[in-house]
Amino acid sequence: MRYDIYVRSIHQNILFIIFSGILFSALFLTYNNFNVEIGPITSDKPVLSIDPELFEDFQKYKLFLENPPYVEIIRLVDTVNLNIPFRIVNRGIIPLSIEKMDYRVRVYGRAALGGVVYISEELLPNRDFQFNIRLHIPIPKDETFINQVFYSNGFINIYLEGVSYLRIGGIPTLKPFEYSIDISLPKMLRAFYQDEDIRFPDGELIVLDIKWLSNGEGINSIRPGQRVTVSITLTSVGDDFEGTIRVYVYKDLVFYPDEIYAGRQYNLLISEGEIKILTLIFESPPEYEFNLTGFYIVIEHPTTGERWMMPNQYPPRLRAED
C-alpha cells in the first residue's frame, strides 16, 4: 500500500512539473509575442500651434529656401501636434489583458510631456486592439535647442517611450515599448502655411553596398596619405525614409579601442525601394600607427540609436598598407 502511494506521489510530481513547464512556456511565448506597433504618424489639426503675430510678420518665402531661418522658425512654433496610432497585438498562445499604458515624450532627450492611456481590454490569441493618442509637444526656445535644430538641418527628434501593464494568465507583468522619429520643422511650417496634412515616413534604411574608390577604381587597401572616396548604396524598405544619419570612418586598431577617423552627417529623404548613393571623401594619415589594421564604415541613426557596422573581414574592410 505504501509503495502504491509512493508511486502515485511520483507520478503527481512529474505531472505537476510537466504542467508547470507547459504553463511557463505559454506565458513566456505570449509575453514575447505581445507587440506594440506605432505609426505611421500623421499630423493633428492644426499641424502646429504658433504665435499668430510673429507668423503674420514672418516672410513666408523663407520657408522654401534651401537653408530656412531656423531661429525665426523656432520662435514661431509653440507646439508640434501629432496623431500617433497604436496597434497592440497578441501573437501568443493564451489570452492576455492590457490595463493601461504609460508614455513619455522626449524632444532631443529632454522630457516634454507624458500621460496614461487606460485600456482595460482582453486580447485573445491573434487579436489586436487599435487606438490613437494626440500629442501637442512643446518646442523649447533656448540656445541649446536652436543649435541642435540648426546642426540637424531643421530636423527635431521625437522619442516616445512607455510601459504596457499586462496580465497574462492572471499574472501581472510590464512590457516596455519605444519609438523614435525625425520631423522636419520647416516642412511642418510649410504644411501649416498651405493648410496641408502630413504623413511622416516610417521606412527602414538598408545598406546595400559599400565601395572604396581611388581615382575611380575599386581598392582593397590604402597607403599613407592616399585620398579615398567611400561610395555607400542605400535603400528604404517598408516605407519612405526621412531623417538624419551619420557616416563614420573608423580606424581598426589592435589592442586598443577603435577610433573615429572621419565622418559626415546626411539628411536624407529616400522613397521606398529607391536607390540612393552617398559619397564620403577622406585622406588616410601620412603615417600609420604600429597597430593599425585598416579602416571600416559605421552608419548611425542618432535619433533611434540604430547602428550598422561593416563586417569584420578584409575585404570589405579597407586594409592599411605601408
Side-chain angles (χ1 to χ4, degrees):
M1 181 67 69
R2 290 180 179 176
Y3 176 76
D4 291 342
I5 294 173
Y6 176 72
V7 170
R8 253 196 326 270
S9 175
I10 291 176
H11 287 168
Q12 288 172 351
N13 288 336
I14 292 173
L15 289 173
F16 176 77
I17 292 171
I18 293 173
F19 175 77
S20 298
I22 293 172
L23 178 60
F24 176 80
S25 297
L27 294 172
F28 180 77
L29 285 171
T30 300
Y31 177 85
N32 277 349
N33 288 282
F34 170 80
N35 295 320
V36 177
E37 300 173 358
I38 303 175
I41 292 177
T42 58
S43 58
D44 198 7
K45 288 186 176 292
V47 175
L48 303 170
S49 300
I50 64 170
D51 185 314
E53 292 184 5
L54 290 178
F55 189 69
E56 186 67 29
D57 296 334
F58 180 74
Q59 296 173 304
K60 310 303 186 296
Y61 77 89
K62 294 181 179 179
L63 294 173
F64 303 91
L65 297 175
E66 184 175 351
N67 295 304
Y70 299 123
V71 174
E72 293 183 53
I73 289 173
I74 291 168
R75 287 174 179 163
L76 283 176
V77 178
D78 292 326
T79 65
V80 170
N81 305 324
L82 303 178
N83 179 42
I84 304 183
F86 282 76
R87 179 172 177 255
I88 53 177
V89 189
N90 178 13
R91 295 192 175 94
I93 58 177
I94 60 175
L96 62 81
S97 61
I98 176 167
E99 298 176 356
K100 64 177 181 176
M101 295 173 65
D102 288 350
Y103 66 87
R104 294 167 298 280
V105 179
R106 299 182 183 276
V107 179
Y108 279 128
R110 306 182 191 186
L113 54 86
V116 182
V117 179
Y118 292 95
I119 299 172
S120 300
E121 186 76 17
E122 183 170 354
L123 287 181
L124 298 174
N126 296 315
R127 295 294 181 87
D128 66 359
F129 178 73
Q130 300 180 41
F131 63 93
N132 289 3
I133 61 173
R134 287 179 164 81
L135 300 177
H136 290 192
I137 303 169
I139 297 301
K141 310 291 186 183
D142 58 85
E143 185 177 349
T144 299
F145 180 79
I146 291 172
N147 289 337
Q148 287 172 315
V149 174
F150 181 82
Y151 180 68
S152 300
N153 288 341
F155 283 97
I156 61 173
N157 172 244
I158 307 295
Y159 178 73
L160 177 68
E161 62 181 352
V163 176
S164 303
Y165 290 76
L166 311 174
R167 285 186 179 270
I168 305 174
I171 300 174
T173 186
L174 305 177
K175 184 84 180 267
F177 63 88
E178 61 180 358
Y179 184 84
S180 182
I181 188 171
D182 288 332
I183 291 174
S184 170
L185 209 52
K187 176 181 175 180
M188 292 198 75
L189 195 55
R190 286 195 297 269
F192 178 88
Y193 175 61
Q194 297 171 333
D195 194 26
E196 296 176 347
D197 293 330
I198 298 179
R199 188 187 73 84
F200 301 99
D202 193 29
E204 179 185 359
L205 199 64
I206 301 294
V207 179
L208 297 177
D209 188 33
I210 294 184
K211 290 185 174 69
W212 309 93
L213 304 170
S214 181
N215 296 321
E217 300 291 332
I219 58 173
N220 293 322
S221 62
I222 181 173
R223 299 182 305 277
Q226 186 174 353
R227 189 177 177 86
V228 175
T229 298
V230 186
S231 175
I232 304 169
T233 305
L234 302 171
T235 190
S236 178
V237 298
D239 198 351
D240 301 344
F241 176 89
E242 183 178 39
T244 300
I245 66 167
R246 294 172 186 162
V247 178
Y248 297 109
V249 179
Y250 269 78
K251 288 182 177 179
D252 187 359
L253 301 173
V254 179
F255 306 124
Y256 285 87
D258 295 346
E259 298 176 356
I260 295 175
Y261 179 67
R264 182 178 168 187
Q265 180 167 292
Y266 299 82
N267 298 290
L268 300 179
L269 175 57
I270 304 179
S271 302
E272 182 179 6
E274 179 187 3
I275 304 297
K276 182 157 287 191
I277 298 176
L278 307 181
T279 57
L280 171 64
I281 299 173
F282 73 99
E283 187 173 298
S284 61
E287 295 182 1
Y288 288 164
E289 299 98 319
F290 75 95
N291 61 337
L292 176 65
T293 304
F295 301 87
Y296 63 93
I297 299 298
V298 171
I299 300 174
E300 291 183 353
H301 193 304
T303 58
T304 64
E306 295 177 2
R307 194 170 190 261
W308 180 92
M309 180 185 294
M310 183 173 274
N312 190 21
Q313 291 96 31
Y314 288 89
R317 295 190 175 192
L318 186 64
R319 186 171 295 282
E321 219 174 58
D322 290 328

